[in-house]
C-alpha cells in the first residue's frame, strides 16, 4: 500500500484542564492539568489527539511522495503508522474503505486550492456547526453572578493617544455632504418589518453592492471584474449566496447571485418553515437577523484568489478584507433607499456550506449580511447614539 502524509497539518502542545470532583470534595482545588499533542489538519474538522510517537513519525513523513507502508514500517513502528492512517493524517493512495476514501478526498480538496498552512488550518478550525449563540449567552448568565462588564473590566480607550493634546495638528472638518448624510444614517438594523421587501429595492441593492460594472479580458483565460468596491487583484473572489424568505416576486429559497448577468440563479426552493429554520441556523440563532427578509452569505472563493496568490502569506487576509468592502457597499446602498442592513460573523459556516453544497476549503462562508425594511418600532437594541434613525 502506498501512503503519504496529508498536505497541511499543524501540531499544538495543548494543556487541557479537568476538574476532579472527589478531590474538590476533599478540600483540594480539583484542577487537573493534562498536557498533550493535538493535530489540527486542514482537511479534518476535528482536533486530533496524538501520542509523542505519532508526532515524531508525522514529522518524518513526506506530504509529497507516495511511499510503501511496508518500507516505512522499517523506520517507524507499524502500530504508529496505522494509528496515523486511522486518524486521517496518513493518506492511502488507493483507499480501502469509505472512511479512508473521505480522508483522501478531503486532502485532495485542500491540495487543489494552493492554501498556505497557517490560514488553511485557521479557516477550517474556526468554522461553527450548530452553535446557538443565544443559548451560549444564557449559559454564561446562569453560570456567573457577574455581568459581562464586571468580568471584563474597563475597555481600552477609544483612541490610543500617541502625543499630548497640545502637540496635535488639528484638521478642518469638511462641509456636510450627501455622503456624510448617508453614512450618518447607516445603523445596523436588528428590527425588520414582516411585510415583504419590494423587488425593485432588492434588485437595486444587490446590483450596487455585488454587481459587476464591467468585465475585463485581462489575459487569455483570465477575466477580471470592475465593481463599486475594490478587490485584491481585481479578482472579486467573494460571492453572494442568498437565502430569500420574504421578497416580492422571488419565491423563498436558496439562490446564487450572478454578478455579471445581475441575475439570480435558483438553487433550491424552500417552504416558509424550512426557510425560517435555515435562516435561524445560518446566523447561530440570532433571532433579530433571522427575521430579515433575506440573508446573504458572503462566500470566499479561495480557489479563485489563490489561483494567483498561491501559498501566499497575505492571501487569506485579502479575501476577508474583500468581504468587508462588499458589506459596507451593501449597507450604504440599503441606507440610501431607507432600508436597514446588517452583517454578522457569528454564523454556522458548516450549515451554510451544506445548504449551498460548497466544498469548505474551496469556497467558504466568511459572514452573513442582509437588508430589509425597518420595523416601525424598535424592540431589539440598535446602536444609534446620534438618533439619526430612531428618535
Ligand atoms: C465583522 C462584523 C461582525 C459583526 N457581527 C455581529 C454579530 O455577530 N451580531 C450582531 O448583532 N452584530 C454584529 N455586527 C454588527 C455590529 O454589532 C455593529 O456594526 C456595531 O454594533 C456598531 O453598530 P453600527 O453598525 O450601527 O454602527 C458585526 C459587525 C461587523 C463589522
Amino acid at each position: 500500500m502506498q501512503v503519504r502524509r496529508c498536505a497541511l497539518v499543524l501540531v499544538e502542545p495543548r494543556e487541557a484542564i479537568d476538574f476532579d470532583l472527589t478531590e474538590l470534595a476533599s478540600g483540594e482545588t480539583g484542577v487537573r492539568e493534562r498536557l498533550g499533542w493535538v493535530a489540527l489538519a486542514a482537511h479534518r474538522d476535528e482536533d486530533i489527539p496524538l501520542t509523542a510517537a505519532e508526532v515524531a513519525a508525522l514529522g518524518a513523513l513526506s506530504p509529497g511522495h507516495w511511499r510503501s507502508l511496508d518500507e516505512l514500517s522499517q523506520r517507524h513502528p507499524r502500530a504508529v503508522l496505522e494509528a496515523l492512517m486511522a486518524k486521517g493524517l496518513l493518506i492511502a493512495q488507493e483507499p480501502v474503505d469509505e472512511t479512508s476514501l473521505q480522508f483522501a478526498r478531503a486532502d485532495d480538496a485542500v491540495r487543489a486550492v494552493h492554501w498556505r498552512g497557517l490560514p488553511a488550518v485557521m479557516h477550517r478550525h474556526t468554522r461553527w456547526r450548530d452553535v446557538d449563540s443565544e443559548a451560549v449567552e444564557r449559559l454564561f448568565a446562569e453560570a456567573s453572578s457577574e455581568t459581562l462588564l464586571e468580568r471584563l473590566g474597563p475597555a481600552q480607550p477609544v483612541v490610543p493617544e500617541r502625543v499630548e493634546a497640545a502637540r496635535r495638528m488639528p484638521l478642518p472638518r469638511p462641509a456636510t455632504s450627501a455622503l456624510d448624510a448617508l453614512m450618518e444614517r447607516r445603523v445596523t438594523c436588528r428590527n425588520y418589518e414582516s411585510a415583504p421587501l419590494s423587488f425593485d429595492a432588492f434588485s437595486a441593492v444587490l446590483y450596487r453592492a455585488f454587481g459587476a460594472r464591467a468585465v475585463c479580458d485581462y489575459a487569455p483565460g483570465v477575466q477580471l471584474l470592475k465593481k463599486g468596491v475594490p478587490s485584491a487583484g481585481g479578482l472579486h473572489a467573494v460571492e453572494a449566496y442568498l437565502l430569500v424568505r420574504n421578497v416580492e416576486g422571488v419565491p423563498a429559497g436558496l439562490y446564487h447571485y450572478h454578478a455579471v448577468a445581475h441575475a439570480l440563479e435558483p438553487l433550491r426552493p424552500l417552504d416558509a418553515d424550512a426557510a425560517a429554520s435555515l435562516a435561524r441556523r445560518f446566523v447561530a440563532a440570532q433571532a433579530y437577523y433571522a427575521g430579515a427578509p433575506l440573508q446573504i452569505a458572503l462566500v470566499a472563493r479561495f480557489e479563485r484568489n489563490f489561483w494567483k496568490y498561491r501559498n501566499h502569506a497575505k492571501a487569506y487576509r485579502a479575501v476577508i478584507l474583500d468581504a468587508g468592502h462588499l458589506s459596507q457597499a451593501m449597507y450604504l446602498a440599503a441606507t440610501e433607499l431607507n432600508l436597514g442592513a446588517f452583517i454578522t460573523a457569528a454564523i454556522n459556516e458548516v450549515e451554510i456550506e451544506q445548504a449551498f453544497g460548497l466544498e469548505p476549503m474551496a469556497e467558504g462562508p466568511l459572514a452573513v449580511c442582509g437588508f430589509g425594511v425597518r420595523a416601525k418600532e424598535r424592540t431589539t437594541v440598535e446602536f444609534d447614539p446620534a438618533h439619526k434613525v430612531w428618535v
Side-chain angles (χ1 to χ4, degrees), residues 186-188 190 286 288-289 331 343-346 383:
R186 187 212 54 80
V187 171
T188 294
R190 295 194 183 84
Q286 297 176 86
Y288 37 89
Y289 292 153
Y331 264 86
I343 181 165
T344 173
F383 187 55

Side-chain angles (χ1 to χ4, degrees), residues 209-214 225-230 236 238-239 257 259 326:
F210 306 107
R213 286 152 195 273
L225 298 179
K226 181 74 188 171
K227 291 194 183 183
V229 296
H236 289 283
V238 176
E239 297 292 311
Y257 174 70
L326 289 166

Side-chain angles (χ1 to χ4, degrees), residues 21 27 33 47 71 102 114 117 125-126 165 226 231 238 271 278 295 310 344:
L21 290 180
E33 288 142 6
D47 295 1
E71 181 199 319
Q102 279 175 13
H114 310 292
H125 291 269
T126 50
K226 181 74 188 171
S231 166
V238 176
D271 65 35
L278 214 49
Q295 294 183 351
R310 277 175 201 216
T344 173

